[in-house]
Amino acid sequence: MAAEGIPIYDNHVHLRPDGRGMEALKEFQAAGGTGITLVNLPYPQIPVDGLNDILDSYRLTMAQAMQARELPGLEVNVAIGPYPVLLMTLEERHGLESAEAIMTAAVDCALDFVRDGEAQAIGEVGRPHFPVPEPIWQASNRILFHAMCGAAEIACPVIIHSESAVPEVMAEFASMADKAGLDRGRVVKHFSGPLNRPELCHGVLPSMPASRKALREALDNGGPFLLETDYIDDPQRPGAVMSINSVPKRVKAALSNGEMDERTAWSIGEDIPRRLYRP
Ligand SMILES: [Zn+2]
């Protein structure tokens, strides 16, 4: 089956000012990609010492998005928020209490960008993906909960960066969302495995690296999911994560060998992202 006209969405892309930037997105489009979520990340050009630096990094992401939206036919949604590991950087400089206050303020500023229609999601927020001291863990959870409460007010998605998703972790995020009054379907677990069955994801939306094995399992499971690369656009490590054309390549291959039907392709390429980012 041809993939002609099929929408193909990468739900987690980072760009760097010293990286390939728009060239990478052109390669994505040439491979058949039609939409991305551009996700803010600390940039080496903007060392983070306080709230203003985080805001500068948001503005850089917004500038990248403006450029990307000039590429004809590319749908660009933007996620901004304080990267979870920044809490530790800030803690070293300011102590944990001030670090948490800065992170919380950074969440509030990100929510303002979404409220103004400049960004479409809060992310990536959450907690470090490696073991950290208990006070850091607790503070991270408070910051995430704060993000979910704010997101609930404006019905916006929250993209979570955390340790590996297992069903128990998904259940924890689901109950956190319930307490915050945020629809579980607006909680996106970045770098998830194929947990797209209700008893595995508990209503949280898995966003999965586009590996062949994970995709096959996700298609068997049948529940909603999204695909991503987590492309980092690092000039020093060009092949460090998946290349920018991975999602289009994987979707086209799955369509042509019959593993994926066209309805599913439309669902993960257009319907789910649209419902998520443009409710
Ligand atoms: Zn990322």
Side-chain angles (χ1 to χ4, degrees):
M1 189 188 302
E4 234 50 57
I6 300 272
I8 300 180
Y9 197 89
D10 185 333
N11 195 47
H12 204 101
V13 171
H14 301 291
L15 294 177
R16 277 173 47 155
D18 57 343
R20 295 178 62 214
M22 297 308 123
E23 285 311 309
L25 297 185
K26 284 178 193 165
E27 186 191 334
F28 172 71
Q29 286 189 289
T34 58
I36 60 162
T37 301
L38 178 67
V39 185
N40 167 260
L41 195 69
Y43 303 97
Q45 292 78 6
I46 307 174
V48 171
D49 188 38
L51 181 60
N52 278 331
D53 306 314
I54 300 178
L55 298 188
D56 280 347
S57 85
Y58 291 175
R59 290 184 196 106
L60 179 53
T61 308
M62 302 308 312
Q64 291 168 340
M66 252 172 58
Q67 259 191 301
R69 285 178 174 137
E70 279 170 26
L71 295 172
L74 186 68
E75 158 108 12
V76 181
N77 293 302
V78 181
I80 53 171
Y83 186 67
V85 181
L86 281 180
L87 177 67
M88 306 182 76
T89 318
L90 292 165
E91 187 227 0
E92 278 171 28
R93 283 298 285 255
H94 307 282
L96 186 53
E97 202 175 316
S98 299
E100 183 177 345
I102 294 169
M103 294 288 280
T104 303
V107 165
D108 289 337
C109 294
L111 286 162
D112 284 338
F113 275 92
V114 178
R115 218 172 267 120
D116 294 344
E118 288 189 69
Q120 283 67 44
I122 301 301
E124 48 196 299
V125 293
R127 52 199 188 200
H129 50 278
F130 46 85
V132 292
E134 188 63 19
I136 297 278
W137 191 254
Q138 299 292 347
S140 299
N141 283 332
R142 284 192 296 270
I143 297 160
L144 175 58
F145 183 67
H146 181 82
M148 285 186 179
C149 291
E153 278 172 33
I154 54 175
C156 101
V158 174
I159 297 174
I160 296 187
H161 169 113
S162 72
E163 78 277 25
S164 289
V166 291
E168 293 70 33
V169 171
M170 294 298 236
E172 185 191 350
F173 293 143
S175 84
M176 208 185 257
D178 290 352
K179 269 183 222 133
L182 177 65
D183 187 316
R184 292 181 180 190
R186 291 217 162 85
V187 178
V188 180
K189 174 61 178 87
H190 154 57
F191 205 74
S192 174
L195 300 177
N196 56 326
R197 288 211 317 252
E199 68 274 27
L200 301 179
C201 67
H202 299 275
V204 170
L205 181 64
S207 185
M208 299 185 332
S211 81
R212 165 178 281 181
K213 189 166 170 282
L215 177 56
R216 203 173 287 155
E217 213 175 312
L219 292 170
D220 280 344
N221 287 340
F225 69 96
L226 288 170
L227 290 174
E228 62 177 45
T229 52
D230 201 11
Y231 179 72
I232 52 169
D233 203 20
D234 184 341
Q236 305 304 318
R237 301 188 298 153
V241 289
M242 283 186 179
S243 61
I244 191 69
N245 57 16
S246 302
V247 174
K249 263 169 64 181
R250 191 65 60 217
V251 169
K252 283 176 160 182
L255 278 168
S256 71
N257 68 19
E259 280 179 358
M260 188 190 293
D261 57 31
E262 236 178 89
R263 226 193 57 193
T264 306
W266 276 89
S267 160
I268 64 170
E270 183 161 301
D271 303 342
I272 296 172
R274 178 160 296 172
R275 238 185 355 249
L276 189 63
Y277 298 112
R278 313 215 177 252

